[in-house]
Coordinates of all heavy atoms in Angstrom, one line a residue:
M1347 N 0.9 -1.2 0.0 CA -0.1 0.0 0.0 C 0.9 1.2 0.0 O 1.8 1.4 0.8 CB -0.9 0.0 1.2 CG -2.0 1.0 1.2 SD -2.9 1.1 2.7 CE -3.9 -0.5 2.7
N1348 N 0.7 2.1 -1.0 CA 1.5 3.3 -1.0 C 1.1 4.3 0.0 O -0.1 4.3 0.6 CB 1.6 3.9 -2.4 CG 0.3 4.5 -2.8 OD1 -0.4 5.0 -2.1 ND2 0.0 4.3 -4.2
Q1349 N 1.9 5.3 0.3 CA 1.7 6.3 1.3 C 0.4 7.2 1.1 O -0.3 7.4 2.0 CB 3.0 7.3 1.4 CG 3.0 8.0 2.6 CD 4.3 8.8 2.7 OE1 5.1 8.9 1.7 NE2 4.6 9.3 3.9
Q1350 N 0.2 7.5 -0.2 CA -1.0 8.3 -0.5 C -2.3 7.5 -0.1 O -3.3 8.2 0.4 CB -1.0 8.7 -1.9 CG -2.1 9.8 -2.2 CD -2.0 11.0 -1.3 OE1 -1.0 11.6 -1.1 NE2 -3.1 11.3 -0.8
K1351 N -2.2 6.2 -0.4 CA -3.5 5.4 -0.1 C -3.6 5.3 1.4 O -4.8 5.3 1.9 CB -3.3 4.1 -0.8 CG -4.5 3.3 -0.9 CD -4.3 2.0 -1.8 CE -5.6 1.2 -1.9 NZ -5.3 -0.1 -2.5
I1352 N -2.6 5.2 2.2 CA -2.7 5.2 3.6 C -3.3 6.5 4.1 O -4.2 6.5 5.0 CB -1.4 4.9 4.3 CG1 -0.9 3.5 4.0 CG2 -1.4 5.1 5.8 CD1 0.6 3.2 4.2
I1353 N -2.7 7.6 3.7 CA -3.3 9.0 4.1 C -4.7 9.1 3.8 O -5.5 9.5 4.6 CB -2.3 10.1 3.5 CG1 -1.0 10.0 4.1 CG2 -3.0 11.4 3.7 CD1 0.0 10.9 3.4
D1354 N -5.1 8.6 2.6 CA -6.4 8.8 2.0 C -7.4 8.0 3.0 O -8.4 8.4 3.3 CB -6.5 8.3 0.7 CG -7.8 8.6 0.0 OD1 -8.3 9.8 0.1 OD2 -8.4 7.7 -0.7
G1355 N -6.9 6.8 3.3 CA -7.7 5.9 4.2 C -7.9 6.4 5.6 O -8.8 6.0 6.3
L1356 N -7.1 7.4 6.0 CA -7.3 8.0 7.3 C -8.2 9.1 7.4 O -8.6 9.7 8.5 CB -5.9 8.4 7.9 CG -4.9 7.3 8.2 CD1 -3.6 7.8 8.6 CD2 -5.5 6.4 9.2
K1357 N -8.8 9.5 6.2 CA -9.7 10.6 6.2 C -11.0 10.2 6.8 O -11.6 9.1 6.5 CB -9.9 11.1 4.8 CG -8.7 11.8 4.2 CD -8.9 12.2 2.8 CE -7.6 13.0 2.3 NZ -7.6 13.1 0.8
S1358 N -11.6 11.1 7.6 CA -13.0 10.7 8.1 C -14.0 10.9 7.0 O -14.1 11.8 6.4 CB -13.3 11.7 9.2 OG -12.6 11.2 10.5
V1359 N -14.9 9.9 7.0 CA -16.0 9.9 6.1 C -17.3 10.3 6.9 O -17.9 11.2 6.6 CB -16.1 8.5 5.4 CG1 -17.5 8.5 4.6 CG2 -15.0 8.2 4.4
C1360 N -17.5 9.5 8.0 CA -18.6 9.8 8.9 C -18.1 10.6 10.1 O -17.4 10.0 10.9 CB -19.3 8.6 9.2 SG -20.7 8.8 10.4
L1361 N -18.3 11.8 10.1 CA -17.7 12.7 11.2 C -18.3 12.5 12.6 O -17.7 12.4 13.5 CB -17.9 14.2 10.8 CG -17.0 14.6 9.5 CD1 -17.5 16.0 9.1 CD2 -15.6 14.5 9.7
C1362 N -19.7 12.2 12.5 CA -20.3 12.0 13.8 C -19.8 10.8 14.4 O -19.7 10.8 15.7 CB -21.9 11.8 13.5 SG -22.6 13.2 12.8
K1363 N -19.6 9.7 13.8 CA -19.2 8.4 14.4 C -17.6 8.3 14.3 O -17.1 7.3 14.8 CB -19.9 7.3 13.7 CG -21.4 7.4 13.7 CD -21.9 7.3 15.0 CE -22.4 5.9 15.4 NZ -23.0 5.8 16.7
G1364 N -17.0 9.2 13.6 CA -15.5 9.1 13.5 C -15.0 7.9 12.7 O -14.1 7.1 13.1
I1365 N -15.7 7.6 11.6 CA -15.4 6.4 10.9 C -14.5 6.9 9.7 O -15.0 7.7 8.9 CB -16.6 5.6 10.4 CG1 -17.6 5.3 11.6 CG2 -16.3 4.4 9.6 CD1 -19.0 4.9 11.3
K1366 N -13.4 6.2 9.5 CA -12.4 6.6 8.4 C -12.8 5.9 7.2 O -13.4 4.7 7.1 CB -11.1 6.2 8.9 CG -10.7 6.7 10.3 CD -10.1 8.0 10.2 CE -9.6 8.4 11.5 NZ -10.4 9.5 12.2
K1367 N -12.3 6.4 6.1 CA -12.4 5.9 4.8 C -11.9 4.4 4.7 O -12.6 3.6 4.0 CB -11.7 6.8 3.7 CG -12.0 6.4 2.3 CD -11.4 7.5 1.4 CE -11.7 7.2 -0.1 NZ -11.3 8.1 -1.0
K1368 N -10.9 4.1 5.3 CA -10.3 2.8 5.3 C -11.4 1.7 5.6 O -11.4 0.7 5.1 CB -9.2 2.7 6.3 CG -8.3 1.4 6.4 CD -7.2 1.7 7.3 CE -6.3 0.4 7.4 NZ -6.9 -0.6 8.4
A1369 N -12.2 2.0 6.6 CA -13.2 1.1 7.1 C -14.2 0.8 5.9 O -14.7 -0.3 5.8 CB -14.0 1.6 8.3
F1370 N -14.6 1.8 5.2 CA -15.5 1.6 4.1 C -14.9 0.8 3.0 O -15.5 0.0 2.4 CB -16.0 2.9 3.6 CG -16.8 3.8 4.5 CD1 -16.2 4.6 5.5 CD2 -18.2 3.7 4.5 CE1 -17.0 5.3 6.4 CE2 -19.0 4.3 5.4 CZ -18.4 5.2 6.4
L1371 N -13.6 1.2 2.7 CA -12.9 0.5 1.6 C -12.8 -1.1 1.9 O -12.8 -1.9 1.0 CB -11.6 1.1 1.4 CG -11.6 2.5 0.8 CD1 -10.2 3.1 0.7 CD2 -12.3 2.5 -0.6
E1372 N -12.5 -1.4 3.2 CA -12.4 -2.8 3.6 C -13.7 -3.6 3.3 O -13.7 -4.7 2.7 CB -12.1 -3.0 5.1 CG -10.7 -2.6 5.3 CD -10.4 -2.4 6.8 OE1 -11.3 -2.6 7.7 OE2 -9.2 -2.2 7.2
H1373 N -14.9 -3.0 3.4 CA -16.1 -3.6 3.2 C -16.3 -3.6 1.7 O -16.9 -4.6 1.3 CB -17.3 -2.9 4.0 CG -17.2 -3.1 5.4 ND1 -17.5 -4.3 6.0 CD2 -16.9 -2.3 6.4 CE1 -17.3 -4.3 7.3 NE2 -17.0 -3.1 7.6
V1374 N -15.9 -2.6 1.0 CA -16.1 -2.6 -0.5 C -15.4 -3.7 -1.0 O -15.8 -4.5 -1.9 CB -15.7 -1.3 -1.1 CG1 -15.6 -1.3 -2.6 CG2 -16.6 -0.1 -0.8
E1375 N -14.1 -3.9 -0.5 CA -13.3 -5.1 -1.0 C -14.0 -6.5 -0.8 O -13.8 -7.4 -1.5 CB -11.9 -5.1 -0.3 CG -11.0 -4.0 -1.1 CD -9.7 -3.9 -0.3 OE1 -9.3 -4.8 0.5 OE2 -9.1 -2.9 -0.5
K1376 N -14.8 -6.5 0.4 CA -15.5 -7.7 0.6 C -16.7 -7.9 -0.1 O -17.6 -8.9 0.0 CB -15.8 -7.8 2.1 CG -14.6 -7.9 3.0 CD -15.0 -7.9 4.6 CE -13.8 -7.8 5.4 NZ -14.2 -7.4 6.8
G1377 N -17.1 -6.9 -0.9 CA -18.3 -7.1 -1.9 C -19.4 -6.2 -1.5 O -20.5 -6.3 -2.1
V1378 N -19.3 -5.4 -0.4 CA -20.5 -4.4 -0.1 C -20.4 -3.4 -1.2 O -19.4 -2.7 -1.3 CB -20.3 -3.9 1.3 CG1 -21.5 -3.0 1.7 CG2 -20.2 -5.0 2.4
N1379 N -21.5 -3.2 -1.8 CA -21.5 -2.2 -3.0 C -22.8 -1.3 -3.0 O -23.1 -0.8 -3.9 CB -21.5 -3.0 -4.3 CG -22.7 -4.0 -4.4 OD1 -23.5 -4.0 -3.7 ND2 -22.6 -4.7 -5.6
T1380 N -23.4 -1.2 -1.8 CA -24.5 -0.1 -1.7 C -24.3 0.8 -0.6 O -23.6 0.5 0.4 CB -25.9 -0.8 -1.5 OG1 -25.9 -1.5 -0.2 CG2 -26.2 -1.7 -2.5
V1381 N -24.9 1.9 -0.6 CA -24.7 3.0 0.5 C -25.3 2.4 1.8 O -24.8 2.4 2.8 CB -25.5 4.3 0.1 CG1 -25.5 5.2 1.3 CG2 -24.7 4.9 -1.0
H1382 N -26.5 1.8 1.6 CA -27.1 1.1 2.7 C -26.3 0.0 3.4 O -26.1 0.0 4.6 CB -28.5 0.6 2.2 CG -29.3 -0.2 3.4 ND1 -29.9 0.5 4.5 CD2 -29.5 -1.4 3.7 CE1 -30.5 -0.3 5.3 NE2 -30.2 -1.5 4.9
G1383 N -25.7 -0.8 2.5 CA -24.9 -1.8 3.0 C -23.7 -1.4 3.7 O -23.3 -1.9 4.8
L1384 N -23.1 -0.3 3.3 CA -21.9 0.4 3.9 C -22.2 1.0 5.2 O -21.5 0.8 6.2 CB -21.2 1.4 3.0 CG -20.3 0.8 1.9 CD1 -19.7 1.8 1.0 CD2 -19.2 -0.1 2.4
K1385 N -23.4 1.7 5.2 CA -23.8 2.2 6.6 C -24.1 1.1 7.5 O -23.7 1.3 8.7 CB -25.1 3.0 6.3 CG -25.0 4.4 5.6 CD -26.2 5.1 5.4 CE -26.0 6.4 4.8 NZ -27.4 7.2 4.7
K1386 N -24.7 0.0 7.2 CA -25.0 -1.0 8.1 C -23.8 -1.7 8.6 O -23.7 -2.0 9.8 CB -25.9 -2.1 7.3 CG -26.7 -2.9 8.1 CD -27.6 -3.7 7.5 CE -28.2 -4.9 8.3 NZ -28.9 -5.9 7.5
A1387 N -22.8 -1.9 7.6 CA -21.5 -2.6 8.1 C -20.7 -1.8 8.9 O -20.0 -2.3 9.7 CB -20.8 -3.0 6.8
T1388 N -20.7 -0.4 8.8 CA -19.8 0.5 9.5 C -20.4 1.2 10.7 O -19.8 1.7 11.6 CB -19.1 1.5 8.6 OG1 -20.2 2.3 8.1 CG2 -18.4 0.9 7.5
G1389 N -21.7 1.3 10.6 CA -22.3 2.2 11.6 C -22.5 3.6 11.3 O -23.1 4.5 12.0
A1390 N -22.0 3.9 10.0 CA -22.2 5.3 9.6 C -23.7 5.6 9.3 O -24.4 4.7 9.0 CB -21.4 5.4 8.2
G1391 N -23.9 7.0 9.5 CA -25.3 7.4 9.2 C -26.2 7.4 10.4 O -27.3 7.7 10.3
S1392 N -25.6 6.8 11.5 CA -26.5 6.8 12.8 C -26.0 7.9 13.8 O -26.4 7.8 14.9 CB -26.4 5.4 13.3 OG -25.0 5.0 13.6
G1393 N -25.3 8.8 13.3 CA -24.8 9.8 14.3 C -25.8 11.0 14.3 O -26.9 10.9 13.8
S1394 N -25.4 12.1 14.9 CA -26.3 13.1 15.2 C -27.0 13.8 13.9 O -28.0 14.3 13.9 CB -25.7 14.2 16.0 OG -24.5 14.7 15.4
C1395 N -26.2 13.7 12.8 CA -26.7 14.4 11.5 C -27.5 13.3 10.7 O -28.1 13.7 9.7 CB -25.6 14.9 10.7 SG -24.7 13.7 9.7
Q1396 N -27.6 12.1 11.2 CA -28.4 11.1 10.5 C -27.9 10.9 9.0 O -28.9 10.5 8.3 CB -29.9 11.4 10.6 CG -30.4 11.3 12.0 CD -30.4 9.9 12.6 OE1 -31.0 9.0 12.1 NE2 -29.5 9.6 13.6
G1397 N -26.7 11.0 8.8 CA -26.2 10.7 7.5 C -26.2 11.9 6.5 O -25.8 11.6 5.3
K1398 N -26.7 12.9 7.0 CA -26.7 14.2 5.9 C -25.2 14.4 5.4 O -25.1 14.8 4.3 CB -27.2 15.4 6.7 CG -28.7 15.3 6.8 CD -29.2 16.7 7.1 CE -30.7 16.7 7.4 NZ -31.0 16.5 8.8
R1399 N -24.3 14.4 6.3 CA -22.9 14.7 5.9 C -22.1 13.6 5.2 O -21.4 13.8 4.3 CB -22.1 15.3 7.1 CG -22.5 16.6 7.5 CD -21.7 17.2 8.6 NE -21.8 16.5 9.8 CZ -21.1 16.7 10.9 NH1 -20.3 17.7 11.0 NH2 -21.2 16.0 12.0
C1400 N -22.4 12.4 5.7 CA -21.6 11.2 5.3 C -22.0 10.6 4.0 O -21.4 9.9 3.2 CB -21.3 10.2 6.3 SG -22.7 9.6 7.2
T1401 N -23.4 10.6 3.8 CA -24.1 9.9 2.7 C -23.4 10.3 1.3 O -23.1 9.4 0.5 CB -25.6 10.0 2.7 OG1 -26.1 9.5 3.9 CG2 -26.2 9.4 1.6
P1402 N -23.3 11.6 1.0 CA -22.6 11.9 -0.2 C -21.1 11.3 -0.3 O -20.7 11.0 -1.4 CB -22.6 13.5 -0.2 CG -23.6 13.9 0.8 CD -23.7 12.9 1.8
R1403 N -20.5 11.4 0.8 CA -19.1 10.8 0.8 C -19.1 9.2 0.6 O -18.1 8.8 -0.1 CB -18.4 11.2 2.1 CG -18.1 12.6 2.3 CD -17.5 12.9 3.6 NE -17.6 14.3 3.9 CZ -17.2 14.8 5.0 NH1 -16.5 14.2 5.9 NH2 -17.1 16.2 5.1
I1404 N -20.1 8.6 1.1 CA -20.1 7.2 0.9 C -20.4 7.0 -0.6 O -19.9 6.0 -1.2 CB -21.2 6.5 1.8 CG1 -20.8 6.7 3.3 CG2 -21.5 5.0 1.5 CD1 -21.9 6.4 4.2
E1405 N -21.4 7.8 -1.2 CA -21.7 7.6 -2.5 C -20.4 7.7 -3.5 O -20.3 7.1 -4.4 CB -22.8 8.6 -3.0 CG -24.2 8.2 -2.4 CD -25.2 9.4 -2.5 OE1 -24.8 10.5 -2.9 OE2 -26.4 9.1 -2.3
E1406 N -19.6 8.7 -3.0 CA -18.4 9.0 -3.7 C -17.5 7.8 -3.7 O -16.8 7.5 -4.7 CB -17.8 10.2 -3.2 CG -16.7 10.9 -4.0 CD -17.1 11.4 -5.4 OE1 -18.3 11.9 -5.4 OE2 -16.4 11.2 -6.2
I1407 N -17.4 7.1 -2.6 CA -16.5 6.0 -2.5 C -17.0 4.8 -3.4 O -16.1 4.1 -4.0 CB -16.5 5.5 -1.0 CG1 -15.8 6.5 -0.1 CG2 -15.9 4.0 -0.9 CD1 -15.9 6.1 1.3
L1408 N -18.3 4.7 -3.7 CA -18.8 3.7 -4.5 C -18.8 3.9 -5.9 O -19.0 3.1 -6.8 CB -20.3 3.5 -4.0 CG -20.5 2.7 -2.7 CD1 -22.0 2.7 -2.3 CD2 -20.0 1.2 -2.7
K1409 N -18.4 5.1 -6.3 CA -18.3 5.5 -7.7 C -17.1 4.8 -8.4 O -16.1 4.6 -7.8 CB -18.2 7.0 -7.9 CG -19.5 7.6 -7.8 CD -19.5 9.1 -8.2 CE -20.8 9.8 -8.0 NZ -20.7 11.2 -7.9
Ligands
FES64 S1 -21.5 12.3 9.4 FE1 -22.2 10.3 9.4 S2 -24.0 10.4 10.7 FE2 -23.2 12.4 10.6

C-alpha cells in the first residue's frame, strides 16, 4: 500500500461516528456495494446528523 493510499484511508468519512475511509474500503473489498450496506456494516449514518454529511461521501466511495 502506498503512502497516499494510507493517508487517504485515514480521512474521516462519517464525522459524527469518527469512521475513516479505510473502514469503508475494507467492506467494499469484501463485496459491499450499496450505500445502505456500507452504512449497516460500519455504523455510519447513525450519528447526530443522521447521514446528511456522510451519505454523499459514501456515494463518492462507491463510484
Ligand atoms: S457524518 Fe455520518 S452520521 Fe453524521
Side-chain angles (χ1 to χ4, degrees):
M1347 191 184 289
N1348 67 34
Q1349 199 173 9
Q1350 188 54 48
K1351 201 170 174 187
I1352 293 169
I1353 292 167
D1354 193 46
L1356 293 173
K1357 288 179 182 162
S1358 277
V1359 172
C1360 179
L1361 298 169
C1362 296
K1363 305 292 267 186
I1365 306 167
K1366 310 270 185 254
K1367 189 171 182 179
K1368 185 175 177 283
F1370 292 87
L1371 294 175
E1372 283 170 3
H1373 289 289
V1374 169
E1375 280 174 20
K1376 289 178 193 163
V1378 182
N1379 60 4
T1380 63
V1381 171
H1382 178 75
L1384 282 176
K1385 283 182 175 177
K1386 204 172 162 192
T1388 61
S1392 58
S1394 58
C1395 83
Q1396 291 295 297
K1398 282 196 185 88
R1399 291 186 291 181
C1400 57
T1401 299
R1403 293 177 189 179
I1404 297 169
E1405 288 169 348
E1406 195 60 41
I1407 289 170
L1408 288 170
K1409 279 185 185 165

